[in-house]
Amino acid sequence: MRVFTRIIVIAIAIGLYGCPHHQKIPPEEVHTVYIGEGMEDTLLSSHAPAFLSYDYRSSYNRIGRPAARLDDKGRQYIYVDTERPAIYFAERQFSTERGTYTNLIYRVHFPKVPFSLVPFYITSGRNVGVMVIVTLDSEQRPVLVSTVGTCGCYLTIVPTTYLSRDAWPENMEEKPLEKYGEVLPPVLDYSKKDHPKLLVHLRPGVHRVMDLEIIDGQELLDSKGFRMIQAPFLPVSDLERISLNGDTTSFYYQDGRQKGHVRGSVKLWETLLMSLISMDFYVGTDKVYEDDGEYGNPFYTSLKPWNRGASDMRDFPRFLEFWGWGL
């Protein structure tokens, strides 16, 4: 029993060590920002975030488009093509006792989190991604911005000034949110900009959300300090129809124990260090985010096995309640 306890303690310590120690931001005269293209004059386009990717010179920090080819043995090889960036989207409605809401879901992918011991990247692996979910109220105003890795890890939920304070979690104070070694704003104010645009800052290497801010969209376009890369909006269902030699294949495994997980995305370090405490051999592996249950793969956001259902983002009202939000 003592050995088991020590293993748990060591795993947690290493896991926590892998969170706050990260690659520093390199000096750049011009920052690279990915913005969505198409779907003009729609809610999806109006509320779409822009993604600021630091250290663009390193290809693993570039947003791409999942693609497929056959390797030398004729097997499928899924990768992220950074020459053809894309922002995948979905729109879903949900209701609570307090009202009806719309989730605008934005999903982007990167080639990998590189292997690194110093700093230690516990999430190293291929085909990784980030999701941003903008929750609108019945008046189509953004009330919450949620960010999460496509593995279900590194969740942050930030309210906007449109959300009543009585919907905040109990004891939540209006002070900077310290999450996984990053510091995010406690609240986002869309009302102070003529053309508000959500700018998502991405930590190089690990691709975690390191900051969120509301800027003026027109000022972003006009600024000489940013290099803009347009990425078309594509429906998230396209991830299940990737072109391959005149046919199509899926970004996700279709059967077996890995069903619903991203092909090629097993995280070795997380499996070795975190699978025991999470009771999930594929902990940290990126996965599908669905709502119809076709894959049956929970998108849980708490490592504690007994919270797997309550923290599952697929049931968004229950997920919000679990994390203390009273929408």
Side-chain angles (χ1 to χ4, degrees), residues 2 12-13 30 33 51 53 73 81 106 110 115 136 165 179 194 207 228 252 265 270 283 300 303 314:
R2 289 182 179 180
I12 293 173
V30 178
V33 175
F51 295 90
S53 179
K73 297 183 179 180
D81 182 0
Y106 306 89
F110 301 86
F115 173 81
L136 309 181
R165 286 295 298 267
K179 293 282 188 175
D194 293 332
H207 316 308
M228 312 304 294
Y252 315 108
S265 182
E270 292 199 72
V283 61
Y300 63 86
L303 279 177
R314 296 179 303 171

PDB file of all heavy atoms in Angstrom, residues 2 12-13 30 33 51 53 73 81 106 110 115 136 165 179 194 207 228 252 265 270 283 300 303 314:
ATOM      1  N   ARG A   2       1.969   1.193   0.754  1.00  0.00           N
ATOM      2  CA  ARG A   2       2.859   2.358   0.788  1.00  0.00           C
ATOM      3  C   ARG A   2       3.468   2.624  -0.578  1.00  0.00           C
ATOM      4  O   ARG A   2       3.639   3.765  -0.987  1.00  0.00           O
ATOM      5  CB  ARG A   2       3.963   2.127   1.821  1.00  0.00           C
ATOM      6  CG  ARG A   2       3.481   2.183   3.273  1.00  0.00           C
ATOM      7  CD  ARG A   2       4.637   2.001   4.213  1.00  0.00           C
ATOM      8  NE  ARG A   2       4.212   2.080   5.601  1.00  0.00           N
ATOM      9  CZ  ARG A   2       5.036   1.948   6.639  1.00  0.00           C
ATOM     10  NH1 ARG A   2       6.337   1.713   6.420  1.00  0.00           N
ATOM     11  NH2 ARG A   2       4.564   2.032   7.858  1.00  0.00           N
ATOM     12  N   ILE A  12       1.562  12.653  -9.306  1.00  0.00           N
ATOM     13  CA  ILE A  12       0.932  13.970  -9.166  1.00  0.00           C
ATOM     14  C   ILE A  12       1.989  15.065  -9.189  1.00  0.00           C
ATOM     15  O   ILE A  12       1.826  16.108  -9.848  1.00  0.00           O
ATOM     16  CB  ILE A  12       0.109  14.046  -7.873  1.00  0.00           C
ATOM     17  CG1 ILE A  12      -1.100  13.103  -7.969  1.00  0.00           C
ATOM     18  CG2 ILE A  12      -0.354  15.467  -7.604  1.00  0.00           C
ATOM     19  CD1 ILE A  12      -1.889  12.991  -6.677  1.00  0.00           C
ATOM     20  N   ALA A  13       3.099  14.838  -8.470  1.00  0.00           N
ATOM     21  CA  ALA A  13       4.157  15.848  -8.412  1.00  0.00           C
ATOM     22  C   ALA A  13       4.750  16.116  -9.783  1.00  0.00           C
ATOM     23  O   ALA A  13       4.935  17.266 -10.194  1.00  0.00           O
ATOM     24  CB  ALA A  13       5.248  15.396  -7.440  1.00  0.00           C
ATOM     25  N   VAL A  30       6.916  40.956 -34.995  1.00  0.00           N
ATOM     26  CA  VAL A  30       5.562  40.803 -35.523  1.00  0.00           C
ATOM     27  C   VAL A  30       5.002  39.469 -35.040  1.00  0.00           C
ATOM     28  O   VAL A  30       5.634  38.428 -35.210  1.00  0.00           O
ATOM     29  CB  VAL A  30       5.555  40.854 -37.067  1.00  0.00           C
ATOM     30  CG1 VAL A  30       4.130  40.644 -37.594  1.00  0.00           C
ATOM     31  CG2 VAL A  30       6.122  42.174 -37.580  1.00  0.00           C
ATOM     32  N   VAL A  33      -1.156  35.914 -36.072  1.00  0.00           N
ATOM     33  CA  VAL A  33      -2.532  35.735 -35.612  1.00  0.00           C
ATOM     34  C   VAL A  33      -3.336  35.024 -36.696  1.00  0.00           C
ATOM     35  O   VAL A  33      -3.312  35.422 -37.864  1.00  0.00           O
ATOM     36  CB  VAL A  33      -3.195  37.090 -35.279  1.00  0.00           C
ATOM     37  CG1 VAL A  33      -4.667  36.891 -34.923  1.00  0.00           C
ATOM     38  CG2 VAL A  33      -2.461  37.777 -34.128  1.00  0.00           C
ATOM     39  N   PHE A  51      -6.572  33.654 -32.953  1.00  0.00           N
ATOM     40  CA  PHE A  51      -5.580  32.881 -32.209  1.00  0.00           C
ATOM     41  C   PHE A  51      -4.198  33.460 -32.445  1.00  0.00           C
ATOM     42  O   PHE A  51      -3.719  33.488 -33.585  1.00  0.00           O
ATOM     43  CB  PHE A  51      -5.613  31.414 -32.651  1.00  0.00           C
ATOM     44  CG  PHE A  51      -6.899  30.703 -32.338  1.00  0.00           C
ATOM     45  CD1 PHE A  51      -7.951  30.697 -33.253  1.00  0.00           C
ATOM     46  CD2 PHE A  51      -7.069  30.045 -31.129  1.00  0.00           C
ATOM     47  CE1 PHE A  51      -9.139  30.034 -32.979  1.00  0.00           C
ATOM     48  CE2 PHE A  51      -8.258  29.375 -30.841  1.00  0.00           C
ATOM     49  CZ  PHE A  51      -9.291  29.378 -31.766  1.00  0.00           C
ATOM     50  N   SER A  53      -0.448  32.948 -32.147  1.00  0.00           N
ATOM     51  CA  SER A  53       0.486  31.842 -31.996  1.00  0.00           C
ATOM     52  C   SER A  53       1.909  32.385 -31.894  1.00  0.00           C
ATOM     53  O   SER A  53       2.465  32.879 -32.872  1.00  0.00           O
ATOM     54  CB  SER A  53       0.371  30.896 -33.196  1.00  0.00           C
ATOM     55  OG  SER A  53       1.272  29.832 -33.087  1.00  0.00           O
ATOM     56  N   LYS A  73       4.385   1.359 -45.625  1.00  0.00           N
ATOM     57  CA  LYS A  73       3.781   0.036 -45.500  1.00  0.00           C
ATOM     58  C   LYS A  73       2.301   0.029 -45.869  1.00  0.00           C
ATOM     59  O   LYS A  73       1.595  -0.944 -45.631  1.00  0.00           O
ATOM     60  CB  LYS A  73       3.967  -0.488 -44.072  1.00  0.00           C
ATOM     61  CG  LYS A  73       5.428  -0.690 -43.695  1.00  0.00           C
ATOM     62  CD  LYS A  73       5.560  -1.266 -42.300  1.00  0.00           C
ATOM     63  CE  LYS A  73       7.025  -1.493 -41.935  1.00  0.00           C
ATOM     64  NZ  LYS A  73       7.197  -2.065 -40.576  1.00  0.00           N
ATOM     65  N   ASP A  81      -1.414  19.368 -41.305  1.00  0.00           N
ATOM     66  CA  ASP A  81      -0.755  20.096 -42.390  1.00  0.00           C
ATOM     67  C   ASP A  81      -0.783  21.594 -42.087  1.00  0.00           C
ATOM     68  O   ASP A  81      -1.830  22.235 -42.194  1.00  0.00           O
ATOM     69  CB  ASP A  81      -1.478  19.796 -43.698  1.00  0.00           C
ATOM     70  CG  ASP A  81      -0.834  20.468 -44.900  1.00  0.00           C
ATOM     71  OD1 ASP A  81       0.178  21.174 -44.723  1.00  0.00           O
ATOM     72  OD2 ASP A  81      -1.360  20.293 -46.017  1.00  0.00           O
ATOM     73  N   TYR A 106     -15.237  26.360 -31.366  1.00  0.00           N
ATOM     74  CA  TYR A 106     -14.142  26.559 -32.318  1.00  0.00           C
ATOM     75  C   TYR A 106     -13.004  25.613 -31.938  1.00  0.00           C
ATOM     76  O   TYR A 106     -12.576  25.577 -30.786  1.00  0.00           O
ATOM     77  CB  TYR A 106     -13.661  28.003 -32.294  1.00  0.00           C
ATOM     78  CG  TYR A 106     -14.764  29.010 -32.519  1.00  0.00           C
ATOM     79  CD1 TYR A 106     -15.498  29.518 -31.451  1.00  0.00           C
ATOM     80  CD2 TYR A 106     -15.097  29.444 -33.805  1.00  0.00           C
ATOM     81  CE1 TYR A 106     -16.526  30.438 -31.650  1.00  0.00           C
ATOM     82  CE2 TYR A 106     -16.124  30.360 -34.016  1.00  0.00           C
ATOM     83  CZ  TYR A 106     -16.835  30.850 -32.930  1.00  0.00           C
ATOM     84  OH  TYR A 106     -17.855  31.760 -33.130  1.00  0.00           O
ATOM     85  N   PHE A 110      -2.717  21.418 -33.945  1.00  0.00           N
ATOM     86  CA  PHE A 110      -1.298  21.663 -34.166  1.00  0.00           C
ATOM     87  C   PHE A 110      -0.616  20.326 -34.456  1.00  0.00           C
ATOM     88  O   PHE A 110      -1.106  19.266 -34.058  1.00  0.00           O
ATOM     89  CB  PHE A 110      -0.666  22.285 -32.926  1.00  0.00           C
ATOM     90  CG  PHE A 110      -1.292  23.585 -32.503  1.00  0.00           C
ATOM     91  CD1 PHE A 110      -2.410  23.583 -31.679  1.00  0.00           C
ATOM     92  CD2 PHE A 110      -0.783  24.801 -32.929  1.00  0.00           C
ATOM     93  CE1 PHE A 110      -3.004  24.776 -31.282  1.00  0.00           C
ATOM     94  CE2 PHE A 110      -1.363  25.986 -32.544  1.00  0.00           C
ATOM     95  CZ  PHE A 110      -2.481  25.982 -31.723  1.00  0.00           C
ATOM     96  N   PHE A 115       8.665  16.719 -27.719  1.00  0.00           N
ATOM     97  CA  PHE A 115       9.261  16.069 -26.557  1.00  0.00           C
ATOM     98  C   PHE A 115      10.241  17.045 -25.903  1.00  0.00           C
ATOM     99  O   PHE A 115      11.069  17.659 -26.572  1.00  0.00           O
ATOM    100  CB  PHE A 115       9.989  14.799 -26.978  1.00  0.00           C
ATOM    101  CG  PHE A 115      10.775  14.164 -25.865  1.00  0.00           C
ATOM    102  CD1 PHE A 115      10.144  13.370 -24.923  1.00  0.00           C
ATOM    103  CD2 PHE A 115      12.143  14.375 -25.752  1.00  0.00           C
ATOM    104  CE1 PHE A 115      10.863  12.784 -23.890  1.00  0.00           C
ATOM    105  CE2 PHE A 115      12.872  13.801 -24.728  1.00  0.00           C
ATOM    106  CZ  PHE A 115      12.228  13.002 -23.792  1.00  0.00           C
ATOM    107  N   LEU A 136     -23.440  31.983 -25.686  1.00  0.00           N
ATOM    108  CA  LEU A 136     -24.306  33.155 -25.874  1.00  0.00           C
ATOM    109  C   LEU A 136     -25.606  32.971 -25.113  1.00  0.00           C
ATOM    110  O   LEU A 136     -26.137  31.859 -25.019  1.00  0.00           O
ATOM    111  CB  LEU A 136     -24.628  33.358 -27.363  1.00  0.00           C
ATOM    112  CG  LEU A 136     -23.466  33.381 -28.352  1.00  0.00           C
ATOM    113  CD1 LEU A 136     -24.006  33.622 -29.766  1.00  0.00           C
ATOM    114  CD2 LEU A 136     -22.450  34.452 -27.991  1.00  0.00           C
ATOM    115  N   ARG A 165     -23.610  38.345 -11.723  1.00  0.00           N
ATOM    116  CA  ARG A 165     -22.704  37.814 -10.711  1.00  0.00           C
ATOM    117  C   ARG A 165     -23.330  36.656  -9.930  1.00  0.00           C
ATOM    118  O   ARG A 165     -22.612  35.811  -9.412  1.00  0.00           O
ATOM    119  CB  ARG A 165     -22.298  38.925  -9.732  1.00  0.00           C
ATOM    120  CG  ARG A 165     -21.300  39.929 -10.288  1.00  0.00           C
ATOM    121  CD  ARG A 165     -19.971  39.271 -10.595  1.00  0.00           C
ATOM    122  NE  ARG A 165     -19.332  38.717  -9.420  1.00  0.00           N
ATOM    123  CZ  ARG A 165     -18.447  39.345  -8.665  1.00  0.00           C
ATOM    124  NH1 ARG A 165     -18.078  40.573  -8.987  1.00  0.00           N
ATOM    125  NH2 ARG A 165     -17.906  38.768  -7.622  1.00  0.00           N
ATOM    126  N   LYS A 179      -4.256  29.480 -13.565  1.00  0.00           N
ATOM    127  CA  LYS A 179      -4.571  28.146 -14.068  1.00  0.00           C
ATOM    128  C   LYS A 179      -3.344  27.523 -14.708  1.00  0.00           C
ATOM    129  O   LYS A 179      -2.825  28.027 -15.707  1.00  0.00           O
ATOM    130  CB  LYS A 179      -5.705  28.213 -15.112  1.00  0.00           C
ATOM    131  CG  LYS A 179      -7.057  28.633 -14.564  1.00  0.00           C
ATOM    132  CD  LYS A 179      -7.730  27.487 -13.837  1.00  0.00           C
ATOM    133  CE  LYS A 179      -9.157  27.814 -13.459  1.00  0.00           C
ATOM    134  NZ  LYS A 179      -9.845  26.660 -12.851  1.00  0.00           N
ATOM    135  N   ASP A 194     -15.639  48.990 -29.981  1.00  0.00           N
ATOM    136  CA  ASP A 194     -16.622  49.151 -31.055  1.00  0.00           C
ATOM    137  C   ASP A 194     -16.796  47.866 -31.851  1.00  0.00           C
ATOM    138  O   ASP A 194     -17.902  47.531 -32.286  1.00  0.00           O
ATOM    139  CB  ASP A 194     -16.173  50.285 -31.992  1.00  0.00           C
ATOM    140  CG  ASP A 194     -16.204  51.651 -31.326  1.00  0.00           C
ATOM    141  OD1 ASP A 194     -17.016  51.838 -30.399  1.00  0.00           O
ATOM    142  OD2 ASP A 194     -15.404  52.529 -31.718  1.00  0.00           O
ATOM    143  N   HIS A 207       0.914  24.799 -26.317  1.00  0.00           N
ATOM    144  CA  HIS A 207      -0.349  25.252 -26.908  1.00  0.00           C
ATOM    145  C   HIS A 207      -1.466  25.449 -25.890  1.00  0.00           C
ATOM    146  O   HIS A 207      -2.645  25.361 -26.231  1.00  0.00           O
ATOM    147  CB  HIS A 207      -0.824  24.290 -28.002  1.00  0.00           C
ATOM    148  CG  HIS A 207       0.264  23.858 -28.931  1.00  0.00           C
ATOM    149  ND1 HIS A 207       1.100  24.744 -29.576  1.00  0.00           N
ATOM    150  CD2 HIS A 207       0.699  22.621 -29.285  1.00  0.00           C
ATOM    151  CE1 HIS A 207       1.978  24.083 -30.308  1.00  0.00           C
ATOM    152  NE2 HIS A 207       1.761  22.791 -30.136  1.00  0.00           N
ATOM    153  N   MET A 228      -1.319  38.534 -40.186  1.00  0.00           N
ATOM    154  CA  MET A 228      -2.590  37.841 -40.196  1.00  0.00           C
ATOM    155  C   MET A 228      -2.563  36.654 -41.159  1.00  0.00           C
ATOM    156  O   MET A 228      -2.117  36.772 -42.305  1.00  0.00           O
ATOM    157  CB  MET A 228      -3.723  38.795 -40.605  1.00  0.00           C
ATOM    158  CG  MET A 228      -3.723  40.134 -39.875  1.00  0.00           C
ATOM    159  SD  MET A 228      -3.787  39.968 -38.072  1.00  0.00           S
ATOM    160  CE  MET A 228      -5.412  39.263 -37.885  1.00  0.00           C
ATOM    161  N   TYR A 252     -10.513  10.269 -36.227  1.00  0.00           N
ATOM    162  CA  TYR A 252     -10.673   9.501 -34.995  1.00  0.00           C
ATOM    163  C   TYR A 252     -10.705   8.001 -35.277  1.00  0.00           C
ATOM    164  O   TYR A 252     -11.162   7.560 -36.336  1.00  0.00           O
ATOM    165  CB  TYR A 252     -11.979   9.888 -34.292  1.00  0.00           C
ATOM    166  CG  TYR A 252     -12.236  11.366 -34.223  1.00  0.00           C
ATOM    167  CD1 TYR A 252     -13.233  11.957 -35.001  1.00  0.00           C
ATOM    168  CD2 TYR A 252     -11.473  12.186 -33.398  1.00  0.00           C
ATOM    169  CE1 TYR A 252     -13.470  13.319 -34.938  1.00  0.00           C
ATOM    170  CE2 TYR A 252     -11.706  13.545 -33.341  1.00  0.00           C
ATOM    171  CZ  TYR A 252     -12.704  14.107 -34.122  1.00  0.00           C
ATOM    172  OH  TYR A 252     -12.927  15.456 -34.071  1.00  0.00           O
ATOM    173  N   SER A 265      -2.410  10.159 -31.448  1.00  0.00           N
ATOM    174  CA  SER A 265      -2.297  11.176 -30.403  1.00  0.00           C
ATOM    175  C   SER A 265      -2.042  10.630 -29.010  1.00  0.00           C
ATOM    176  O   SER A 265      -2.263  11.312 -28.028  1.00  0.00           O
ATOM    177  CB  SER A 265      -3.572  12.033 -30.373  1.00  0.00           C
ATOM    178  OG  SER A 265      -3.473  13.050 -29.404  1.00  0.00           O
ATOM    179  N   GLU A 270       1.816  11.083 -20.181  1.00  0.00           N
ATOM    180  CA  GLU A 270       0.577  11.117 -19.410  1.00  0.00           C
ATOM    181  C   GLU A 270       0.087   9.703 -19.105  1.00  0.00           C
ATOM    182  O   GLU A 270      -0.445   9.436 -18.017  1.00  0.00           O
ATOM    183  CB  GLU A 270      -0.486  11.930 -20.145  1.00  0.00           C
ATOM    184  CG  GLU A 270      -0.155  13.412 -20.212  1.00  0.00           C
ATOM    185  CD  GLU A 270      -1.368  14.271 -20.515  1.00  0.00           C
ATOM    186  OE1 GLU A 270      -2.230  14.422 -19.632  1.00  0.00           O
ATOM    187  OE2 GLU A 270      -1.433  14.797 -21.646  1.00  0.00           O
ATOM    188  N   VAL A 283      -5.533   8.624 -20.924  1.00  0.00           N
ATOM    189  CA  VAL A 283      -5.636   9.967 -20.361  1.00  0.00           C
ATOM    190  C   VAL A 283      -4.717  10.903 -21.145  1.00  0.00           C
ATOM    191  O   VAL A 283      -3.587  10.554 -21.487  1.00  0.00           O
ATOM    192  CB  VAL A 283      -5.263   9.962 -18.865  1.00  0.00           C
ATOM    193  CG1 VAL A 283      -3.824   9.485 -18.648  1.00  0.00           C
ATOM    194  CG2 VAL A 283      -5.462  11.336 -18.254  1.00  0.00           C
ATOM    195  N   TYR A 300     -14.378  14.220 -20.434  1.00  0.00           N
ATOM    196  CA  TYR A 300     -14.330  14.622 -19.033  1.00  0.00           C
ATOM    197  C   TYR A 300     -13.248  15.680 -18.806  1.00  0.00           C
ATOM    198  O   TYR A 300     -12.241  15.728 -19.514  1.00  0.00           O
ATOM    199  CB  TYR A 300     -14.126  13.425 -18.122  1.00  0.00           C
ATOM    200  CG  TYR A 300     -12.824  12.668 -18.309  1.00  0.00           C
ATOM    201  CD1 TYR A 300     -11.670  13.073 -17.650  1.00  0.00           C
ATOM    202  CD2 TYR A 300     -12.759  11.533 -19.121  1.00  0.00           C
ATOM    203  CE1 TYR A 300     -10.478  12.372 -17.794  1.00  0.00           C
ATOM    204  CE2 TYR A 300     -11.576  10.832 -19.272  1.00  0.00           C
ATOM    205  CZ  TYR A 300     -10.434  11.261 -18.614  1.00  0.00           C
ATOM    206  OH  TYR A 300      -9.254  10.563 -18.767  1.00  0.00           O
ATOM    207  N   LEU A 303      -9.795  14.887 -13.543  1.00  0.00           N
ATOM    208  CA  LEU A 303      -9.034  13.640 -13.535  1.00  0.00           C
ATOM    209  C   LEU A 303      -9.597  12.612 -12.557  1.00  0.00           C
ATOM    210  O   LEU A 303      -9.304  11.424 -12.682  1.00  0.00           O
ATOM    211  CB  LEU A 303      -7.567  13.919 -13.171  1.00  0.00           C
ATOM    212  CG  LEU A 303      -6.663  14.415 -14.293  1.00  0.00           C
ATOM    213  CD1 LEU A 303      -5.273  14.722 -13.746  1.00  0.00           C
ATOM    214  CD2 LEU A 303      -6.568  13.398 -15.425  1.00  0.00           C
ATOM    215  N   ARG A 314     -19.900  17.125 -22.753  1.00  0.00           N
ATOM    216  CA  ARG A 314     -20.955  16.804 -23.712  1.00  0.00           C
ATOM    217  C   ARG A 314     -22.332  17.161 -23.175  1.00  0.00           C
ATOM    218  O   ARG A 314     -23.231  17.526 -23.942  1.00  0.00           O
ATOM    219  CB  ARG A 314     -20.895  15.320 -24.085  1.00  0.00           C
ATOM    220  CG  ARG A 314     -19.620  14.907 -24.800  1.00  0.00           C
ATOM    221  CD  ARG A 314     -19.616  13.429 -25.106  1.00  0.00           C
ATOM    222  NE  ARG A 314     -19.785  12.625 -23.897  1.00  0.00           N
ATOM    223  CZ  ARG A 314     -19.988  11.305 -23.887  1.00  0.00           C
ATOM    224  NH1 ARG A 314     -20.042  10.647 -25.026  1.00  0.00           N
ATOM    225  NH2 ARG A 314     -20.126  10.653 -22.744  1.00  0.00           N
TER     226      ARG A 314
END
